[in-house]
Amino acid sequence: MDESRKLLHRVLDIAATELRIPAYTGPRSPSASVTYGAAGLAHALYRISIAREDPRLLALADSWAERAALEPADSGYYSADVKISTETVGRVSPYHTPSGVAAVQALVANARCDRMNLDPAVERFLQATDASCENPDLTLGRSSVLLGLCLLMEAGGTARPQTLVERGNDLYSGLVAQLANDPPIGKGGGDEYLGIAHGWAGLLYATLRWCRLLGITPPAAAEDRLLQLAALAQFTKRGVRWPVQAVAGSISLAGWCNGSAGHTFLWTLAHQLLTTSSYLDLAERAAMDAFQGTGGGHGLCCGFAGQAYAQLNLFQHTGERRWLNQARQLAAKAAAFGNTLARRGEEGLPHSLYKGDVGVAVLVADLERPEFAAMPFFEG
């Protein structure tokens, strides 16, 4: 059995044998959240079940989602061991709080055609994200809620529940106001981060996702910010990258959260909506930089798996098989890396969707039907 299938089977075996996150010798991470815990594993099983058209895995996803909902509020979502607290991740993000569990339950219920549980899950999501939040961040703040609404509505097909549209429009309006009123990127504003997870690329991505969902023209403020971000690109022979922050001496990374892999998704979406040829060039160069980069481990957040999904994003956008071939190469690296850590007993956070083996398992399954691949809990 090759390394990729070995990792996928190992994750599925863990999920099938016990409805709890197994103990391991590493830092104690939140046990319920999408990023670290049971909701993330539920989402992975949901995605793999769709890729494989396997109703048994969908039923298992439902069980794990219910397990996540039973986790206590403190240890379920926050942990000092990995520096996850209300101060660092807030109270509304679907990646880190109960709103993410509700979102996963809604996605699973939708896939099961289970209306009785779908509507209450959506209502729980709206309630859990109703708190005031000043942070606009894509993984920690208001943009994360807007992205969660996109995921729910995209999964629902052509239906546009008015309560979801109204909540999304409120969040969208706030983002557009920030895009219009903040100082130019890199000119002394409050946010100097540039990446998808924590910076300007993420704010723009959430804004454009909502525009695509509702079929509306992106605002002029978003186009202005795209030009500002493009002006900060650092070109290499074949690629392009952005510093993590728009400050002197900031490093550049290859991964999804703060690096070129994350920027790839923004520029393909910008090209799709605005048809500006330079945006496609930036997307392709960013994906190439992500393909060539190393050093972030194997997970979705910072490592090879997230870099592989950037290649798949370009494959779907352009139809060019070179991106698919590069995705497969990165997936093989991710799986080999994860299996090596498992053999050494150095897994760290192996059961985390974004930081461990679980996200890699979804990637392996997605590569069986790459035309339908989507980065977990991020792409529609």
Side-chain angles (χ1 to χ4, degrees):
M1 185 184 300
D2 65 26
E3 293 287 342
S4 295
R5 299 189 71 79
K6 186 183 299 182
L7 184 141
L8 174 59
H9 283 284
R10 179 156 55 81
V11 169
L12 293 179
D13 286 345
I14 290 171
T17 53
E18 49 185 316
L19 278 176
R20 65 181 179 86
I21 297 295
Y24 62 98
T25 57
R28 183 177 64 84
S29 60
S31 56
S33 71
V34 166
T35 297
Y36 289 101
L41 184 51
H43 185 74
L45 292 166
Y46 152 76
R47 286 292 317 284
I48 297 169
S49 74
I50 291 174
R52 294 188 154 192
E53 299 182 349
D54 188 336
R56 296 169 300 177
L57 289 179
L58 186 58
L60 190 58
D62 188 40
S63 296
W64 272 97
E66 292 298 318
R67 181 68 184 85
L70 296 175
E71 290 290 316
D74 51 358
S75 61
Y77 301 97
Y78 305 104
S79 170
D81 285 0
V82 290
K83 299 180 181 179
I84 299 297
S85 65
T86 55
E87 289 73 26
T88 57
V89 302
R91 298 183 181 277
V92 300
S93 167
Y95 288 96
H96 294 285
T97 75
S99 68
V101 176
V104 172
Q105 288 179 306
L107 291 170
V108 172
N110 180 71
R112 289 167 60 89
C113 300
D114 180 5
R115 192 78 192 187
M116 184 173 68
N117 286 305
L118 172 60
D119 291 341
V122 170
E123 182 60 32
R124 288 195 297 275
F125 176 83
L126 291 172
Q127 291 175 355
T129 56
D130 196 32
S132 175
C133 178
E134 295 298 320
N135 188 351
D137 193 284
L138 184 74
T139 57
L140 306 177
R142 288 178 281 119
S143 292
S144 70
V145 179
L146 187 60
L147 182 60
L149 288 168
C150 288
L151 293 172
L152 293 177
M153 293 173 68
E154 287 164 349
T158 58
R160 295 288 182 267
Q162 191 61 28
T163 54
L164 300 187
V165 173
E166 290 175 357
R167 174 67 63 81
N169 280 337
D170 286 344
L171 293 165
Y172 171 77
S173 296
L175 284 177
V176 172
Q178 181 166 355
L179 294 176
N181 297 325
D182 275 14
I185 301 174
K187 301 296 183 180
D191 189 359
E192 300 296 341
Y193 281 87
L194 302 181
I196 199 84
H198 303 300
W200 282 102
L203 306 191
L204 288 164
Y205 182 80
T207 301
L208 296 183
R209 276 288 290 275
W210 190 252
C211 291
R212 185 179 70 180
L213 178 70
L214 296 190
I216 58 179
T217 301
E223 295 191 58
D224 291 341
R225 295 296 181 176
L226 287 168
L227 294 174
Q228 292 172 19
L229 189 60
L232 296 173
Q234 300 173 346
F235 287 85
T236 63
K237 184 176 181 180
R238 298 181 64 193
V240 69
R241 61 186 60 163
W242 283 260
V244 173
Q245 294 179 277
V247 297
S250 179
I251 63 171
S252 299
L253 301 171
W256 171 81
C257 57
N258 287 301
S260 50
H263 282 276
T264 302
F265 294 94
L266 170 64
W267 295 109
T268 54
L269 181 57
H271 180 255
Q272 181 184 48
L273 295 181
L274 299 168
T275 66
T276 303
S277 60
S278 60
Y279 294 164
L280 178 58
D281 181 62
L282 288 173
E284 292 182 330
R285 286 178 172 271
M288 183 56 68
D289 189 76
F291 174 67
Q292 296 171 332
T294 59
H298 70 310
L300 291 174
C301 182
C302 316
F304 291 129
Q307 291 158 235
Y309 271 112
Q311 315 303 308
L312 287 171
N313 179 265
L314 257 296
F315 166 65
Q316 293 172 344
H317 189 66
T318 67
E320 296 180 16
R321 293 191 67 83
R322 61 179 172 131
W323 303 112
L324 176 57
N325 294 334
Q326 290 180 180
R328 286 173 170 153
Q329 292 176 54
L330 288 169
K333 289 182 179 180
F337 193 106
N339 289 334
T340 298
L341 291 179
R343 286 192 293 269
R344 293 176 179 173
E346 301 173 357
E347 296 170 276
L349 299 168
H351 312 301
S352 164
L353 176 64
Y354 262 72
K355 300 286 189 177
D357 294 342
V358 174
V360 183
V362 181
L363 171 63
V364 172
D366 266 346
L367 282 168
E368 297 174 1
R369 300 177 67 185
E371 65 275 16
F372 300 112
M375 184 161 167
F377 213 79
F378 176 66
E379 289 188 274

